[in-house]
Amino acid sequence: MSNQPVVSCLPVTGNKMSKAKKVLDEARETKNREIDLVERNISTFEELPGLLNMLFVTRITLSHNKLKTVPPGIANLINLEILNLSNNFLEELPLSLSSMPKLRILNCSINRLNTLPRGFGAFPVLEVLDLSYNNLNEQVLPGNFFMMDSLRALYLGDNEFEYLPKEVKNLKNLQILGLRDNDLLELPREIGELTRIRELHIQNNRLSVLPPEIANLDMPGPKSVLKMEENPWVTAIAEQYLVGISHVLEYIKTEAYRILYNRHMQSGGKSGGELPPKSDKSKKVSRARS
Protein backbone atom coordinates (compact mmCIF):
# COMPACT_ATOMS: atom_id res chain seq x y z
CA MET A 1 0.00 0.00 0.00
CA SER A 2 1.33 3.42 -0.95
CA ASN A 3 2.12 5.89 1.80
CA GLN A 4 1.50 8.79 -0.55
CA PRO A 5 -0.98 11.31 0.91
CA VAL A 6 -4.40 11.30 -0.68
CA VAL A 7 -4.73 14.21 -3.12
CA SER A 8 -8.04 16.00 -2.85
CA CYS A 9 -9.96 16.27 -6.10
CA LEU A 10 -12.36 18.84 -4.70
CA PRO A 11 -12.46 22.13 -6.61
CA VAL A 12 -11.04 25.20 -4.92
CA THR A 13 -14.59 26.41 -4.45
CA GLY A 14 -15.32 23.46 -2.19
CA ASN A 15 -14.71 25.36 1.01
CA LYS A 16 -16.84 28.28 -0.14
CA MET A 17 -19.58 25.91 -1.17
CA SER A 18 -19.50 24.00 2.09
CA LYS A 19 -19.98 27.23 4.08
CA ALA A 20 -22.84 28.40 1.91
CA LYS A 21 -24.29 24.87 1.80
CA LYS A 22 -24.24 24.76 5.59
CA VAL A 23 -26.32 27.95 5.74
CA LEU A 24 -28.79 26.50 3.24
CA ASP A 25 -28.95 23.12 4.97
CA GLU A 26 -29.70 24.77 8.31
CA ALA A 27 -32.38 26.93 6.70
CA ARG A 28 -33.99 23.85 5.18
CA GLU A 29 -33.93 22.04 8.53
CA THR A 30 -35.38 24.91 10.53
CA LYS A 31 -37.55 26.27 7.70
CA ASN A 32 -35.80 29.61 8.19
CA ARG A 33 -37.40 31.95 5.67
CA GLU A 34 -34.52 34.46 5.71
CA ILE A 35 -31.23 33.46 4.07
CA ASP A 36 -28.16 35.57 4.91
CA LEU A 37 -25.17 34.97 2.62
CA VAL A 38 -23.39 38.31 2.94
CA GLU A 39 -19.69 38.40 2.06
CA ARG A 40 -19.23 34.68 1.39
CA ASN A 41 -17.03 35.10 -1.70
CA ILE A 42 -19.77 33.51 -3.83
CA SER A 43 -19.16 33.73 -7.60
CA THR A 44 -22.04 31.69 -8.97
CA PHE A 45 -25.41 30.29 -7.94
CA GLU A 46 -23.93 26.83 -8.52
CA GLU A 47 -22.28 27.32 -5.13
CA LEU A 48 -25.79 27.52 -3.63
CA PRO A 49 -27.18 24.01 -4.22
CA GLY A 50 -30.93 23.75 -3.90
CA LEU A 51 -31.51 27.43 -3.13
CA LEU A 52 -33.83 27.91 -6.09
CA ASN A 53 -36.06 25.10 -4.80
CA MET A 54 -36.52 26.60 -1.31
CA LEU A 55 -39.99 27.93 -2.04
CA PHE A 56 -40.65 28.92 1.58
CA VAL A 57 -37.91 31.59 1.57
CA THR A 58 -39.09 35.21 1.82
CA ARG A 59 -35.77 37.05 2.07
CA ILE A 60 -32.34 36.48 0.51
CA THR A 61 -29.29 38.65 1.13
CA LEU A 62 -26.38 38.03 -1.24
CA SER A 63 -24.64 41.40 -0.98
CA HIS A 64 -20.84 41.80 -1.05
CA ASN A 65 -20.12 38.74 -3.17
CA LYS A 66 -18.74 38.19 -6.69
CA LEU A 67 -21.84 37.22 -8.62
CA LYS A 68 -21.81 38.06 -12.33
CA THR A 69 -25.17 36.60 -13.28
CA VAL A 70 -28.49 35.67 -11.72
CA PRO A 71 -30.21 32.58 -13.19
CA PRO A 72 -33.76 32.94 -14.55
CA GLY A 73 -34.71 30.19 -12.09
CA ILE A 74 -34.69 32.80 -9.31
CA ALA A 75 -38.32 33.29 -10.28
CA ASN A 76 -39.07 29.83 -8.84
CA LEU A 77 -39.01 31.49 -5.42
CA ILE A 78 -42.64 32.53 -5.53
CA ASN A 79 -42.74 33.65 -1.89
CA LEU A 80 -39.62 35.83 -2.05
CA GLU A 81 -40.34 39.37 -0.84
CA ILE A 82 -36.84 40.87 -0.42
CA LEU A 83 -33.80 40.25 -2.62
CA ASN A 84 -30.52 42.03 -1.93
CA LEU A 85 -27.89 41.64 -4.68
CA SER A 86 -25.96 44.82 -3.92
CA ASN A 87 -22.20 45.04 -4.24
CA ASN A 88 -21.58 42.25 -6.74
CA PHE A 89 -20.27 42.16 -10.33
CA LEU A 90 -23.65 41.89 -12.09
CA GLU A 91 -23.71 43.14 -15.68
CA GLU A 92 -27.25 42.02 -16.46
CA LEU A 93 -30.41 40.79 -14.78
CA PRO A 94 -32.87 38.09 -15.89
CA LEU A 95 -36.27 39.22 -17.15
CA SER A 96 -37.87 36.57 -14.94
CA LEU A 97 -37.19 38.75 -11.88
CA SER A 98 -40.03 41.05 -12.88
CA SER A 99 -42.55 38.20 -12.81
CA MET A 100 -42.01 37.39 -9.14
CA PRO A 101 -45.43 37.67 -7.52
CA LYS A 102 -44.44 38.79 -4.02
CA LEU A 103 -41.15 40.64 -4.55
CA ARG A 104 -41.44 43.99 -2.73
CA ILE A 105 -37.81 45.11 -2.36
CA LEU A 106 -35.05 44.63 -4.93
CA ASN A 107 -31.57 46.02 -4.27
CA CYS A 108 -29.14 45.80 -7.20
CA SER A 109 -27.00 48.79 -6.24
CA ILE A 110 -23.22 48.88 -6.65
CA ASN A 111 -22.98 46.52 -9.58
CA ARG A 112 -21.96 46.83 -13.25
CA LEU A 113 -25.34 46.97 -14.94
CA ASN A 114 -25.19 48.55 -18.40
CA THR A 115 -28.68 47.57 -19.44
CA LEU A 116 -31.99 46.23 -18.18
CA PRO A 117 -34.04 43.46 -19.81
CA ARG A 118 -36.97 44.39 -22.02
CA GLY A 119 -40.17 44.28 -19.99
CA PHE A 120 -38.31 44.85 -16.71
CA GLY A 121 -41.10 47.10 -15.40
CA ALA A 122 -43.66 44.30 -15.07
CA PHE A 123 -43.15 43.77 -11.31
CA PRO A 124 -46.63 43.24 -9.83
CA VAL A 125 -46.02 44.46 -6.25
CA LEU A 126 -42.51 46.00 -6.16
CA GLU A 127 -42.25 48.88 -3.68
CA VAL A 128 -38.52 49.65 -3.48
CA LEU A 129 -36.08 49.42 -6.41
CA ASP A 130 -32.44 50.36 -5.89
CA LEU A 131 -30.34 50.55 -9.07
CA SER A 132 -27.90 53.16 -7.79
CA TYR A 133 -24.20 53.02 -8.60
CA ASN A 134 -24.36 51.25 -11.95
CA ASN A 135 -23.79 52.33 -15.57
CA LEU A 136 -27.40 52.98 -16.59
CA ASN A 137 -28.86 55.86 -18.62
CA GLU A 138 -32.20 56.86 -20.15
CA GLN A 139 -31.41 54.98 -23.38
CA VAL A 140 -31.41 51.54 -21.74
CA LEU A 141 -34.64 51.79 -19.74
CA PRO A 142 -37.27 49.37 -21.09
CA GLY A 143 -40.52 50.84 -22.37
CA ASN A 144 -42.55 49.71 -19.36
CA PHE A 145 -40.01 50.84 -16.74
CA PHE A 146 -42.28 53.58 -15.39
CA MET A 147 -45.38 51.38 -15.24
CA MET A 148 -44.66 50.03 -11.75
CA ASP A 149 -47.75 51.37 -9.99
CA SER A 150 -46.78 50.00 -6.60
CA LEU A 151 -43.32 51.62 -6.49
CA ARG A 152 -42.74 53.85 -3.46
CA ALA A 153 -38.97 54.39 -3.69
CA LEU A 154 -36.75 54.49 -6.79
CA TYR A 155 -33.01 54.98 -6.43
CA LEU A 156 -31.12 55.78 -9.65
CA GLY A 157 -28.24 57.76 -8.14
CA ASP A 158 -24.65 57.36 -9.36
CA ASN A 159 -25.54 56.38 -12.91
CA GLU A 160 -25.22 58.23 -16.23
CA PHE A 161 -28.62 59.80 -16.84
CA GLU A 162 -28.67 63.10 -18.75
CA TYR A 163 -32.46 63.21 -18.99
CA LEU A 164 -35.27 61.68 -16.98
CA PRO A 165 -38.08 60.41 -19.24
CA LYS A 166 -41.37 62.26 -18.82
CA GLU A 167 -43.07 58.89 -18.23
CA VAL A 168 -41.82 59.15 -14.64
CA LYS A 169 -45.20 60.83 -14.04
CA ASN A 170 -46.81 57.36 -14.14
CA LEU A 171 -45.22 56.39 -10.80
CA LYS A 172 -48.20 57.82 -8.93
CA ASN A 173 -47.31 56.24 -5.58
CA LEU A 174 -43.65 57.29 -5.60
CA GLN A 175 -42.50 58.89 -2.34
CA ILE A 176 -38.71 58.82 -2.75
CA LEU A 177 -36.81 59.56 -5.97
CA GLY A 178 -33.01 59.38 -5.84
CA LEU A 179 -31.20 60.94 -8.82
CA ARG A 180 -28.03 62.27 -7.21
CA ASP A 181 -24.63 62.00 -8.89
CA ASN A 182 -25.79 61.63 -12.48
CA ASP A 183 -25.28 63.91 -15.50
CA LEU A 184 -28.81 65.33 -15.52
CA LEU A 185 -29.17 68.48 -17.63
CA GLU A 186 -32.84 69.00 -16.92
CA LEU A 187 -35.84 67.51 -15.16
CA PRO A 188 -39.14 66.93 -16.99
CA ARG A 189 -42.03 69.26 -16.16
CA GLU A 190 -44.09 66.12 -15.54
CA ILE A 191 -42.19 65.54 -12.30
CA GLY A 192 -44.69 67.97 -10.78
CA GLU A 193 -47.37 65.27 -11.15
CA LEU A 194 -45.69 63.05 -8.54
CA THR A 195 -47.87 64.43 -5.79
CA ARG A 196 -46.82 61.87 -3.17
CA ILE A 197 -43.10 62.67 -3.39
CA ARG A 198 -41.57 63.37 0.02
CA GLU A 199 -37.88 63.00 -0.87
CA LEU A 200 -36.19 64.25 -4.03
CA HIS A 201 -32.42 63.89 -4.33
CA ILE A 202 -30.95 65.76 -7.32
CA GLN A 203 -27.60 66.86 -5.90
CA ASN A 204 -24.39 66.74 -7.94
CA ASN A 205 -25.81 66.87 -11.46
CA ARG A 206 -25.59 69.42 -14.28
CA LEU A 207 -28.88 71.17 -13.56
CA SER A 208 -29.18 74.92 -14.16
CA VAL A 209 -32.93 75.35 -13.70
CA LEU A 210 -35.86 73.58 -12.09
CA PRO A 211 -39.22 73.07 -13.82
CA PRO A 212 -41.74 75.47 -12.20
CA GLU A 213 -44.03 72.48 -11.64
CA ILE A 214 -41.79 71.27 -8.81
CA ALA A 215 -43.49 73.97 -6.76
CA ASN A 216 -46.66 71.84 -6.99
CA LEU A 217 -45.04 69.24 -4.76
CA ASP A 218 -45.37 69.41 -0.99
CA MET A 219 -41.60 69.73 -0.59
CA PRO A 220 -41.29 72.42 2.12
CA GLY A 221 -43.20 70.20 4.56
CA PRO A 222 -41.53 69.19 7.86
CA LYS A 223 -41.13 65.57 6.74
CA SER A 224 -39.94 66.41 3.23
CA VAL A 225 -36.41 66.35 1.84
CA LEU A 226 -35.14 68.21 -1.21
CA LYS A 227 -31.40 67.90 -1.80
CA MET A 228 -30.14 70.08 -4.67
CA GLU A 229 -26.58 71.16 -3.87
CA GLU A 230 -23.61 70.80 -6.24
CA ASN A 231 -25.40 71.91 -9.40
CA PRO A 232 -24.51 74.86 -11.70
CA TRP A 233 -27.75 76.74 -10.94
CA VAL A 234 -28.59 79.99 -12.71
CA THR A 235 -27.75 82.95 -10.49
CA ALA A 236 -31.36 83.60 -9.45
CA ILE A 237 -31.82 80.07 -8.07
CA ALA A 238 -28.34 80.00 -6.51
CA GLU A 239 -29.12 83.20 -4.60
CA GLN A 240 -32.43 81.86 -3.28
CA TYR A 241 -30.78 78.58 -2.34
CA LEU A 242 -28.35 80.44 -0.08
CA VAL A 243 -31.34 81.63 1.93
CA GLY A 244 -33.07 78.24 2.01
CA ILE A 245 -34.97 75.60 0.03
CA SER A 246 -38.34 77.16 0.86
CA HIS A 247 -37.20 80.40 -0.79
CA VAL A 248 -36.27 78.49 -3.96
CA LEU A 249 -39.71 76.88 -4.07
CA GLU A 250 -41.44 80.23 -3.59
CA TYR A 251 -39.28 81.87 -6.25
CA ILE A 252 -39.99 79.26 -8.95
CA LYS A 253 -43.71 80.02 -8.57
CA THR A 254 -43.19 83.59 -9.79
CA GLU A 255 -43.92 84.87 -13.29
CA ALA A 256 -40.38 86.25 -13.48
CA TYR A 257 -39.00 82.75 -13.02
CA ARG A 258 -41.36 81.24 -15.59
CA ILE A 259 -40.01 83.70 -18.15
CA LEU A 260 -36.41 82.89 -17.18
CA TYR A 261 -37.13 79.14 -17.33
CA ASN A 262 -38.78 79.32 -20.76
CA ARG A 263 -35.91 81.36 -22.18
CA HIS A 264 -33.39 78.93 -20.76
CA MET A 265 -35.16 75.94 -22.27
CA GLN A 266 -35.48 77.69 -25.64
CA SER A 267 -31.73 78.16 -25.66
CA GLY A 268 -31.30 74.40 -25.35
CA GLY A 269 -30.36 74.63 -21.68
CA LYS A 270 -27.00 76.13 -22.49
CA SER A 271 -25.64 78.50 -19.92
CA GLY A 272 -23.30 80.99 -21.55
CA GLY A 273 -23.59 79.09 -24.83
CA GLU A 274 -22.25 75.78 -23.53
CA LEU A 275 -23.61 72.81 -21.62
CA PRO A 276 -22.13 72.17 -18.15
CA PRO A 277 -19.31 69.61 -18.36
CA LYS A 278 -19.84 65.97 -17.42
CA SER A 279 -18.25 64.64 -14.26
CA ASP A 280 -15.42 62.15 -14.66
CA LYS A 281 -16.77 58.68 -13.84
CA SER A 282 -13.97 56.66 -15.40
CA LYS A 283 -12.77 55.47 -12.01
CA LYS A 284 -16.15 54.25 -10.78
CA VAL A 285 -16.09 50.73 -9.37
CA SER A 286 -18.98 49.87 -11.70
CA ARG A 287 -16.75 50.63 -14.69
CA ALA A 288 -14.09 48.14 -13.61
CA ARG A 289 -13.71 44.85 -15.40
CA SER A 290 -13.01 41.81 -13.28
Side-chain angles (χ1 to χ4, degrees), residues 24-271:
L24 297 178
D25 287 344
E26 286 177 358
R28 266 187 288 267
E29 262 182 52
T30 61
K31 283 289 187 283
N32 185 358
R33 295 185 298 171
E34 300 189 355
I35 308 292
D36 185 348
L37 291 164
V38 177
E39 216 166 348
R40 299 293 176 121
N41 205 27
I42 299 166
S43 303
T44 167
F45 271 71
E46 291 174 5
E47 296 166 34
L48 306 172
L51 173 63
L52 302 183
N53 296 320
M54 296 170 67
L55 304 188
F56 56 87
V57 170
T58 60
R59 178 178 188 144
I60 296 176
T61 305
L62 277 163
S63 54
H64 296 271
N65 282 293
K66 296 179 179 178
L67 292 168
K68 291 185 178 180
T69 59
V70 178
I74 192 78
N76 294 346
L77 302 176
I78 55 173
N79 289 302
L80 194 66
E81 297 179 18
I82 300 172
L83 178 58
N84 187 343
L85 295 166
S86 65
N87 224 314
N88 276 280
F89 298 158
L90 298 174
E91 295 184 7
E92 60 182 4
L93 296 171
L95 173 58
S96 61
L97 266 180
S98 56
S99 68
M100 298 181 75
K102 294 186 179 180
L103 193 64
R104 294 185 299 104
I105 300 174
L106 176 59
N107 186 346
C108 296
S109 63
I110 318 178
N111 275 287
R112 299 175 181 179
L113 297 173
N114 298 299
T115 187
L116 294 173
R118 183 180 294 183
F120 188 71
F123 292 94
V125 296
L126 196 68
E127 296 178 17
V128 179
L129 176 58
D130 192 344
L131 293 169
S132 54
Y133 215 100
N134 280 286
N135 302 317
L136 301 171
N137 61 53
E138 61 274 13
Q139 305 294 333
V140 303
L141 295 182
N144 69 345
F145 185 79
F146 294 106
M147 301 305 288
M148 293 179 272
D149 295 348
S150 52
L151 209 60
R152 292 186 297 108
L154 175 60
Y155 299 97
L156 295 173
D158 267 301
N159 277 287
E160 295 167 23
F161 289 89
E162 290 193 356
Y163 298 94
L164 183 66
K166 64 183 180 181
E167 287 79 12
V168 69
K169 68 180 181 180
N170 296 325
L171 301 178
K172 298 297 187 187
N173 290 302
L174 202 64
Q175 297 174 29
I176 301 172
L177 179 55
L179 297 167
R180 60 173 178 75
D181 295 292
N182 274 282
D183 288 314
L184 288 170
L185 290 162
E186 62 183 73
L187 294 174
R189 303 186 80 142
E190 289 80 2
I191 204 166
E193 297 180 36
L194 299 176
T195 54
R196 296 194 175 185
I197 282 282
R198 292 297 173 265
E199 286 189 31
L200 179 58
H201 300 265
I202 53 174
Q203 62 270 44
N204 201 17
N205 277 284
R206 299 157 71 197
L207 298 167
S208 302
V209 294
L210 288 169
E213 289 76 8
I214 278 192
N216 299 341
L217 306 177
D218 185 24
M219 293 311 296
K223 294 184 178 178
S224 299
V225 175
L226 173 57
K227 296 280 190 180
M228 54 180 283
E229 62 269 21
E230 302 295 328
N231 279 288
W233 300 115
V234 293
T235 303
I237 288 183
E239 288 175 348
Q240 297 296 328
Y241 181 63
L242 288 175
V243 189
I245 294 284
S246 60
H247 291 263
V248 174
L249 295 171
E250 283 302 313
Y251 170 64
I252 64 175
K253 292 178 184 176
T254 65
E255 185 60 28
Y257 178 71
R258 285 184 180 273
I259 294 170
L260 182 154
Y261 176 80
N262 289 332
R263 282 180 182 162
H264 183 85
M265 298 309 291
Q266 286 164 8
S267 74
K270 295 180 180 179
S271 180

